[in-house]
Amino acid sequence: MATTALTLSAAPLWAQEAEETQVIGISIPAATHGWAGGMNYFAQAAVERLEEVYPQLDFVLATASDPSKQVSDIEDMVATRGIDALVVLPFESEPLTGPVKAVADQGVWITVVDRGLSEPGIEDLYVAGDNPGFGRVSGEYMVSALPEGGKVVALRGIPTTIDNERVAGFEEAIAGSGIEVLGMEHGNWNRDDAFTVMQDFLSKHSQIDAVWASDDDMAVGVLAAIEAAGRSDVKFVLGGAGMKEMIARTRDSDPMVPANVTYPPSMIASAIEITALGLVSDAPVAGRFIIGSELVTPENAEQYYFPDSPF
Amino acid sequence: MATTALTLSAAPLWAQEAEETQVIGISIPAATHGWAGGMNYFAQAAVERLEEVYPQLDFVLATASDPSKQVSDIEDMVATRGIDALVVLPFESEPLTGPVKAVADQGVWITVVDRGLSEPGIEDLYVAGDNPGFGRVSGEYMVSALPEGGKVVALRGIPTTIDNERVAGFEEAIAGSGIEVLGMEHGNWNRDDAFTVMQDFLSKHSQIDAVWASDDDMAVGVLAAIEAAGRSDVKFVLGGAGMKEMIARTRDSDPMVPANVTYPPSMIASAIEITALGLVSDAPVAGRFIIGSELVTPENAEQYYFPDSPF
């Protein structure tokens, strides 16, 4: 008996690893549409791709409609599936911090996506979008699209750090250009709020050259308000986040939607793929990966259009 | 004829892509030993792994002993191999910036590793080590290893931004602890310089509890100086970067080398792997990936020891 045990444990480490299946748990907020719907789609697609490429990896994907369901999903993954790694996009930071820390303390690799936990240092890998970059790329586009300068209005999201970082990046990028910001108001990343805010802007200002809607949902509301008002002075609306319908309009050279700036829900796929990489290769993947915001134009829009995604 | 052409181009995009081989060029400084030697080893290992996993990917790996050879390597990859992506660790920033920009302008994906180019925004993906984190993790270890406080000396690298960031992270981490830094001098990441600096420290100070050598080459020089002086007051030396021989001493519980802090040459593998991911999956991989510096202790040293690597 003792000899057998010794022989087994003397097998080369790579051989032991090759035989062993490793399990990655993925816990994300549920959604059937919008940005979160896209995130769900890309998480599922990444799992399917990885299952095909790496037979030695198994995946558990759970979606939750509230933080307490998400906590119990995660506890379940540890208890019944013995996960080796957890990829989590927290529903909310506060209620998930303690439970995720408890999982980390058991030696499970932790990848946190997009929304950070309330305590630093719990996760091994953090994957998130680039909010200052989102604003900067948007501002740079405005400057290039209005080379003679012009009068613009801007819509902000829900008052948050994310929104502040985006706006700061935008303002820095247009500083010193001929662009004059007539007004900036919170449309709360909401279509209806954005419609109302834009109605106000249109009634206050007789000449608006362009709108930084800063989000595709808000852009939809803004475009509706412009159409309802019958105004032809507004040359274009710049949204953001890469909603499918808006990417299609850019691809099809709609002059009102000439560009987009990404904040891709597919960052969940990057997080899952890189977590998998940490299990199948010697490449170090602990750290902080900030996914860049990229400018989408008619020339490259096709590569940002995913026909099967809901977003 | 026209009908055939139409039929061909109407094939689904994924099918066209699946048939097409994509080529990744890798251009790195040559080296047979030290950190750069490890980097060469891990680049080669990543290529071998990826060639096995993804038959649709081809790789060209070139190593250069000076910047002009590196420039001509890269130009050659574009001209004769038509690379789709370039992973480059610049020998020097200045002479590589123009040539890499010219490659980017042709639509080739650019991944820059460790040493940035002189102009921002050229690369699609930037992969680098975490210098402030390297210092912070080192400082946190010092605090935990000297819970009653103590007198330490520290060695710095070549005067650079990298060195400043590391030292600032270290100083922040030990602030408010009982650790007193008796002296801090530049050992220039050099074994012999570190030996001389440490000789000076030992002659000036009769009681030194520990040394932050901040680099494994310098740690080797420091340990030699301590031994030559026959001093038994120094409890341990903390190096960094994860040199094989030092990782082995930590693994084997050498009391003088109780820990290490990573700044892994295998980050080149992360860069190559993630660049490949951008070609084979829908996961967005543009952005900025800062590879974390991790604490190596006897408990986890085995996973940081690579028997076939020269470093």
Side-chain angles (χ1 to χ4, degrees):
Chain A
M1 282 289 279
T3 312
T4 310
L6 193 68
T7 309
L8 279 174
S9 72
L13 192 62
W14 63 264
Q16 290 175 32
E17 283 178 346
E19 284 159 19
E20 213 176 278
T21 295
Q22 293 196 282
V23 185
I24 299 179
I26 301 158
S27 170
I28 54 177
T32 54
H33 67 285
W35 195 92
M39 197 255 302
N40 274 259
Y41 166 82
F42 284 105
Q44 188 59 50
V47 166
E48 282 164 23
R49 196 195 85 81
L50 284 163
E51 281 178 336
E52 196 150 318
V53 176
Y54 299 116
Q56 72 272 38
L57 295 182
D58 266 4
F59 295 85
V60 205
L61 171 60
T63 62
S65 305
D66 59 68
S68 65
K69 165 71 161 59
Q70 188 168 32
V71 170
S72 76
D73 281 349
I74 291 171
E75 286 168 351
D76 208 46
M77 287 175 188
V78 175
T80 69
R81 299 295 306 269
I83 52 170
D84 299 278
L86 171 67
V87 179
V88 56
L89 195 155
F91 205 98
E92 284 173 24
S93 303
E94 200 58 58
L96 267 300
T97 297
V100 173
K101 188 175 192 307
V103 177
D105 289 344
Q106 291 175 60
V108 174
W109 173 279
I110 307 287
T111 299
V112 169
V113 189
D114 193 42
R115 197 167 301 149
L117 298 173
S118 309
E119 196 186 314
I122 294 172
E123 70 270 14
D124 297 284
L125 170 62
Y126 179 61
V127 177
D130 180 2
N131 290 300
F134 178 92
R136 180 178 44 74
V137 172
S138 302
E140 287 169 356
Y141 177 76
M142 279 287 178
V143 172
S144 75
L146 297 170
E148 319 274 285
K151 295 175 196 301
V152 308
V153 294
L155 285 89
R156 308 184 57 147
I158 293 172
T160 49
T161 308
I162 292 178
D163 185 63
N164 292 340
E165 289 176 350
R166 290 179 174 187
V167 171
F170 180 81
E171 287 179 333
E172 206 174 307
I174 64 166
S177 75
I179 292 174
E180 184 192 347
V181 180
L182 299 171
M184 206 179 251
E185 296 293 339
H186 289 279
N188 306 317
W189 294 317
N190 178 285
R191 206 172 285 205
D192 298 335
D193 288 4
F195 182 88
T196 310
V197 168
M198 191 63 204
Q199 272 189 321
D200 268 14
F201 279 144
L202 289 165
S203 67
K204 269 189 211 151
H205 309 286
S206 59
Q207 174 69 34
I208 297 173
D209 294 307
V211 182
W212 182 42
S214 80
D215 172 80
D216 284 336
D217 259 310
M218 292 204 285
V220 171
V222 165
L223 287 161
I226 295 168
E227 205 182 319
R231 289 273 292 260
S232 59
D233 50 321
V234 184
K235 295 186 186 73
F236 68 88
V237 175
L238 179 64
M243 183 193 289
K244 196 178 169 179
E245 292 76 16
M246 299 301 268
I247 295 286
R249 289 176 73 164
T250 297
R251 181 196 61 195
D252 301 341
S253 298
D254 181 334
M256 283 302 281
V257 188
N260 209 297
V261 179
T262 62
Y263 191 84
S266 49
M267 68 175 70
I268 190 74
S270 315
I272 296 168
E273 290 276 4
I274 294 172
T275 301
L277 210 49
L279 297 181
V280 300
S281 82
D282 286 337
V285 297
R288 191 178 167 82
F289 192 2
I290 304 302
I291 305 284
S293 278
E294 297 180 279
L295 183 68
V296 181
T297 61
E299 288 69 38
N300 68 2
E302 188 59 42
Q303 59 180 280
Y304 296 98
Y305 185 80
F306 299 96
D308 299 330
S309 168
F311 185 75
Chain B
M1 282 289 279
T3 312
T4 312
L6 193 67
T7 309
L8 280 173
S9 71
L13 192 62
W14 62 263
Q16 290 176 32
E17 283 178 348
E19 285 160 14
E20 214 176 276
T21 295
Q22 293 196 284
V23 185
I24 298 179
I26 301 159
S27 170
I28 55 178
T32 54
H33 66 284
W35 195 91
M39 197 255 303
N40 274 259
Y41 166 81
F42 283 105
Q44 188 60 50
V47 166
E48 281 163 24
R49 196 195 85 81
L50 284 163
E51 280 178 335
E52 197 150 317
V53 177
Y54 299 116
Q56 72 272 37
L57 295 183
D58 266 5
F59 295 85
V60 205
L61 171 60
T63 62
S65 305
D66 59 69
S68 65
K69 164 71 161 60
Q70 187 168 33
V71 169
S72 76
D73 282 348
I74 291 171
E75 286 169 351
D76 208 46
M77 288 175 187
V78 176
T80 69
R81 299 294 307 268
I83 52 170
D84 299 278
L86 171 67
V87 179
V88 56
L89 195 155
F91 205 97
E92 284 173 24
S93 302
E94 200 59 59
L96 266 299
T97 298
V100 172
K101 188 173 194 309
V103 177
D105 288 345
Q106 290 176 61
V108 174
W109 174 279
I110 306 288
T111 299
V112 169
V113 189
D114 193 43
R115 197 166 300 151
L117 298 173
S118 309
E119 197 186 313
I122 295 172
E123 70 271 13
D124 297 283
L125 170 62
Y126 178 61
V127 177
D130 181 2
N131 290 301
F134 179 91
R136 179 177 44 74
V137 172
S138 302
E140 286 169 357
Y141 178 76
M142 279 287 177
V143 172
S144 76
L146 297 169
E148 320 273 287
K151 296 175 196 299
V152 309
V153 294
L155 286 90
R156 309 184 56 146
I158 294 171
T160 49
T161 308
I162 291 178
D163 184 63
N164 292 339
E165 288 176 351
R166 290 180 173 186
V167 170
F170 180 80
E171 287 179 333
E172 206 175 307
I174 64 166
S177 75
I179 291 174
E180 183 193 348
V181 180
L182 299 172
M184 207 179 250
E185 297 293 338
H186 289 279
N188 306 317
W189 294 317
N190 179 286
R191 204 171 286 207
D192 297 335
D193 288 5
F195 182 89
T196 310
V197 168
M198 191 63 203
Q199 272 189 320
D200 268 15
F201 279 144
L202 288 166
S203 67
K204 268 190 213 151
H205 307 288
S206 60
Q207 174 69 34
I208 297 173
D209 294 307
V211 182
W212 183 42
S214 81
D215 172 80
D216 284 335
D217 260 309
M218 292 204 286
V220 171
V222 164
L223 286 161
I226 295 168
E227 204 181 320
R231 287 274 290 261
S232 60
D233 50 322
V234 184
K235 294 185 186 73
F236 67 90
V237 175
L238 179 63
M243 184 194 288
K244 196 178 170 178
E245 293 75 15
M246 299 299 268
I247 295 287
R249 290 176 73 164
T250 296
R251 180 196 61 196
D252 301 342
S253 298
D254 181 335
M256 284 301 280
V257 188
N260 209 297
V261 179
T262 62
Y263 192 84
S266 50
M267 69 175 70
I268 190 74
S270 314
I272 296 168
E273 291 276 3
I274 294 172
T275 301
L277 211 48
L279 297 181
V280 300
S281 81
D282 286 337
V285 296
R288 190 177 167 82
F289 191 2
I290 303 302
I291 305 285
S293 278
E294 296 180 279
L295 183 68
V296 181
T297 62
E299 288 70 38
N300 68 1
E302 189 59 42
Q303 60 180 279
Y304 296 99
Y305 185 81
F306 299 96
D308 299 331
S309 168
F311 184 74

